[in-house]
Amino acid sequence: MLTVRRPAQDGAEFTPPPGFGLQAHRFPGLKSQLTTRAWALIPVGVGINVVGGVLVTTLRLPLYLDSIGTALTGVIAGPWVGAVTGVLTNLVLGVTANPTLLPYAITSAFIGLGAGWLARWGMFKSVPRVIASGLVIMLIATLVTAPISIFLFGGVAGNGVDAVRGAFAAFGSSLVASVFQSSFLVEPFDKTASALLAFYAAKSIPMRFRPPFGRLSLPR
């Protein structure tokens, strides 16, 4: 007698790939993350970042808003995909809008890696964890960005955050102190908002359309 098995609903019977479960902390290889769906997500992430970056540059806002797509792809497709998205974003923005953004491709890569690692460790399963992840990403971004701003640009990065740094400098802070002070003032809002927007955007994607990484890193 022929038995017809009903298809899985939204990936409910998805089998976790190697590396999850007891070995979820192990870093996956680049090739295993760059699936067809991941490649399709990268231009979407870059586009989201570019829109946010151009908006900030045009309006001189004291924010960045250019890492939402990086966090999104890192969370749903893995850290290496997030890193590729971040680097490509800075290349596009550096050529089209602000050349000083090119060196910060390193920061964007670390943001994508950080978002992906945090997602793999279960930090994008609930809103409180996402907020905590945003603060962790903020620390990563600050530690990577500050030396670039200080040694390459003398603390001036050519965006709206420069006004905040200038205010701290006017009140007597040193170059190094003003860079870190402005980062710790602006980055928590920027990176927490980016993490939350990435979380809700990723969670809204139906299970059957997510890459394998996103089927396990996010709530159903």
Side-chain angles (χ1 to χ4, degrees), residues 34 65 77 110 202 210:
L34 290 176
L65 298 181
F110 274 94
R210 298 178 190 175

Side-chain angles (χ1 to χ4, degrees), residues 20 28 33 74-79 116-117 119-120 211-218:
F20 284 91
Q33 289 183 37
V75 166
I76 200 168
W117 277 328
R120 168 150 283 195
F213 187 96
R215 299 182 188 180
L216 293 164
S217 64
L218 294 159

Side-chain angles (χ1 to χ4, degrees), residues 53-128:
V54 170
L55 180 66
V56 166
T57 300
T58 302
L59 301 180
R60 305 292 294 178
L61 298 175
L63 293 170
Y64 298 103
L65 298 181
D66 58 355
S67 58
I68 298 172
T70 302
L72 171 64
T73 54
V75 166
I76 200 168
W80 284 114
V81 180
V84 171
T85 302
V87 170
L88 289 177
T89 295
N90 278 73
L91 293 178
V92 172
L93 287 173
V95 171
T96 61
N98 186 354
T100 63
L101 293 174
L102 290 172
Y104 294 102
I106 301 172
T107 303
S108 296
F110 274 94
I111 290 173
L113 291 172
W117 277 328
L118 288 164
R120 168 150 283 195
W121 293 333
M123 292 300 291
F124 276 80
K125 294 285 190 179
S126 64
V127 171

Side-chain angles (χ1 to χ4, degrees), residues 98-219:
N98 186 354
T100 63
L101 293 174
L102 290 172
Y104 294 102
I106 301 172
T107 303
S108 296
F110 274 94
I111 290 173
L113 291 172
W117 277 328
L118 288 164
R120 168 150 283 195
W121 293 333
M123 292 300 291
F124 276 80
K125 294 285 190 179
S126 64
V127 171
R129 292 186 180 187
V130 173
I131 293 174
S133 295
L135 296 177
V136 173
I137 293 171
M138 176 271 293
L139 290 174
I140 295 172
T142 298
L143 293 175
V144 178
T145 297
I148 298 173
S149 298
I150 293 168
F151 294 109
L152 290 185
F153 303 113
V156 179
N159 53 41
V161 182
D162 290 339
V164 181
R165 291 172 182 154
F168 280 112
F171 282 101
S173 295
S174 66
L175 171 62
V176 174
S178 63
V179 169
F180 277 98
Q181 287 168 340
S182 61
S183 293
F184 282 116
L185 180 63
V186 173
E187 290 278 15
F189 298 100
D190 184 80
K191 296 304 181 287
T192 300
S194 297
L196 285 169
L197 289 170
F199 169 70
Y200 284 113
K203 193 164 68 77
S204 68
I205 299 176
M207 186 70 69
R208 62 181 176 275
F209 295 130
R210 298 178 190 175
F213 187 96
R215 299 182 188 180
L216 293 164
S217 64
L218 294 159

